[in-house]
Amino acid sequence: MSDHAVLRELAAGVGLPAEDVDDVLGSTRYAAEVRADERTAREVGVTAVPSYRLGDRRAVSGALDVDRLVTLLREARQPTAG
């Protein structure tokens, strides 16, 4: 999401001060953190939104139906071999 108008509207909707939002959007204040998050996402296999990462397993990307999500959650509860 990079559309500043949409980000401003979302921020206002959750009560963030407009001046603070504009300050952040007009700066590189959190750029290093964002790049680190993007790097981590690539490393664990995130390729789409939404993505799910359960435990130490690789990410599963894309919308999942309820049955598939429940299966993944159950599998994540099982201890890993090794």
Side-chain angles (χ1 to χ4, degrees):
M1 168 63 65
S2 60
D3 185 322
H4 287 195
V6 172
L7 291 169
R8 282 184 189 96
E9 184 177 329
L10 292 169
V14 296
L16 295 175
E19 184 176 313
D20 292 349
V21 173
D22 288 337
D23 287 346
V24 169
L25 291 176
S27 74
T28 58
R29 185 177 314 159
Y30 297 105
E33 291 90 341
V34 170
R35 298 302 166 259
D37 287 346
E38 290 171 338
R39 191 170 37 259
T40 299
R42 282 191 305 275
E43 289 170 0
V44 300
V46 171
T47 59
V49 175
S51 290
Y52 309 88
R53 183 166 184 220
L54 305 167
D56 293 331
R57 295 175 173 93
R58 290 188 59 80
V60 176
S61 295
L64 302 176
D65 63 54
V66 171
D67 292 334
R68 179 67 179 134
L69 185 55
V70 168
T71 298
L72 288 173
L73 291 169
R74 287 184 176 144
E75 289 172 359
R77 290 183 59 196
Q78 301 302 316
T80 57

